Amino acid sequence: MAARPFASSQDTAPTEQTLEVLADGVYALTAQGDPNVGAVEGEEFVVCIEALATPVAAAKWLARLREHTDKPVRYLVLSHYHAVRVLGASAFDADVVVAHENTRALVAERGAQDWASEFARMPRLADGAASVPGLTWPTLTFSDRLVIDLGGDRGDLVLQYHGRGHTEGDITAWLPRHRILFAGDLVEAQAALYTGDAFHREWATTTLDRVAALGAEQLVGGRGEVSRGRSAVDAAIATTRGFLEILLREVDAVQRRGGTLREAFDAAHAALVDDFGSWPIFEHCLPFDVSRAWDELAGVERPVIWTAERDQEVWAQLQGRA
């Protein structure tokens, strides 16, 4: 049978972006399964959430945002270190770039490799790749919680670490006044989970428990549509948890009986495809998800660094044939 094209290398069709106003001065830009971004207006400044993959892509988002506000960007918040989320940072000219302390360490440890890996996996997102001036470094980091006073009567934006999940350094951005949560890739709504750098067991339990405990009434996940209403938010969190639980269950069962990584991939694919197979980038993500789950269950505590070469090796082993 024919091999599947590598990751999203053949996904070149443009996606339709939608700018949604979630509340007065609270914005989300979604794009049919591409990475979501957001912004929150303070009294005198803007906080932008996520940076997209390149300054060229980020500038297009900022042009849309400028139709609603001309306030300067004081803070740029990065939910985690992945290249398609952070390498557009220079376009924002932000005074402060905020991330978790683990995210800064991950940029130092594996940021360059991740850049090469993600741009090869998803070339369509690397719009104007030559405009990236280098790795994005946070200028302000924290360990547990950081509160940004938005000024006037706009309340606070609470940045919080809930534990390891999609990566070692994921944070959320929470607006208690509006009960709106920017969850990063800790929660996805009708979009496939990428777990190649994850801590599946912690993510599926304590980390998502803490995210759910916030009681958000609107949630912007890493990809997919905005979840509006408490039932939709709860469903997005439950579905994210369900994906992780099924993945762990199937990989663990194959590993315990002495099977192979390829058998674990086939088992996970069969168990997930009916409910999740139509979601954006499901086939793209699953080989990397299964590989990391296999390592984690085998006792590899921290994710092995993904390089462009390792990406190709794992893809050929697990998705080399349809």
Side-chain angles (χ1 to χ4, degrees):
M1 296 175 123
R4 291 186 185 276
F6 173 67
S8 294
S9 60
Q10 301 302 305
D11 179 11
T12 58
T15 57
E16 181 179 351
Q17 294 183 325
T18 302
L19 193 154
E20 301 186 51
V21 181
L22 308 183
D24 180 30
V26 184
Y27 311 97
L29 187 74
T30 62
Q32 298 178 310
D34 282 353
N36 294 334
V37 294
V40 178
E41 282 191 63
E43 187 72 7
E44 298 179 351
F45 59 86
V46 172
V47 181
C48 285
I49 301 167
E50 313 287 32
L52 294 174
T54 69
V56 167
K60 293 177 182 178
W61 150 232
L62 285 167
R64 298 283 298 274
L65 181 62
R66 290 306 179 207
E67 296 171 8
H68 296 266
T69 177
D70 61 358
K71 295 173 184 174
V73 178
R74 181 173 298 175
Y75 297 94
L76 173 62
V77 175
L78 306 176
S79 69
H80 61 286
Y81 79 97
H82 284 150
V84 296
R85 301 285 183 185
V86 306
L87 290 180
S90 62
F92 294 81
D93 196 25
D95 295 334
V96 183
V97 180
V98 189
H100 191 264
E101 61 188 15
N102 289 348
T103 290
R104 195 183 199 290
L106 288 164
V107 172
E109 178 188 49
R110 58 186 68 196
Q113 296 94 324
D114 183 72
W115 179 356
S117 167
E118 293 212 335
F119 278 31
R121 291 184 190 181
M122 296 173 279
R124 180 174 54 77
L125 298 183
D127 180 15
S131 65
V132 179
L135 293 172
T136 296
W137 295 97
T139 60
L140 174 64
T141 63
F142 65 97
S143 59
D144 297 313
R145 193 169 183 264
L146 178 70
V147 178
I148 297 173
D149 180 354
L150 296 171
D153 63 353
R154 291 180 177 269
D156 294 330
L157 179 65
V158 181
L159 309 181
Q160 195 162 353
Y161 180 67
H162 303 279
R164 299 183 302 182
H166 173 71
T167 72
E168 283 178 277
D170 300 270
I171 59 172
T172 61
W174 169 233
L175 287 162
R177 179 183 171 199
H178 299 295
R179 307 205 71 76
I180 296 172
L181 181 66
F182 291 87
D185 279 321
L186 288 174
V187 181
E188 307 288 12
Q190 302 294 308
L193 272 68
Y194 175 70
T195 74
D197 296 300
F199 296 79
H200 297 85
R201 290 172 290 193
E202 192 171 330
W203 185 1
T205 54
T206 55
T207 298
L208 282 180
D209 288 347
R210 291 168 186 148
V211 172
L214 293 172
E217 295 176 2
Q218 294 189 74
L219 183 148
V220 183
R223 296 173 184 264
E225 297 179 355
V226 176
S227 299
R228 296 176 180 269
R230 187 63 183 273
S231 61
V233 171
D234 290 346
I237 294 170
T239 305
T240 299
R241 193 192 306 269
F243 183 102
L244 295 167
E245 290 174 344
I246 294 168
L247 177 64
L248 283 171
R249 181 191 72 207
E250 296 300 323
V251 175
D252 185 56
V254 172
Q255 198 172 88
R256 285 178 181 274
R257 65 175 168 79
T260 66
L261 180 62
R262 175 68 204 215
E263 289 169 342
F265 174 81
D266 290 341
H269 190 284
L272 291 164
V273 69
D274 287 348
D275 290 333
F276 303 99
S278 63
W279 289 10
I281 66 171
F282 172 80
E283 297 291 351
H284 168 149
C285 290
L286 196 60
F288 310 115
D289 296 354
V290 170
S291 179
R292 169 55 189 156
W294 180 275
D295 284 352
E296 184 178 359
L297 290 165
V300 179
E301 174 64 13
R302 299 186 67 245
V304 178
I305 294 174
W306 290 102
T307 64
E309 294 75 20
R310 182 171 177 241
D311 287 354
Q312 293 283 351
E313 291 169 3
V314 169
W315 187 268
Q317 184 179 3
L318 301 184
Q319 282 280 42
R321 57 180 174 79

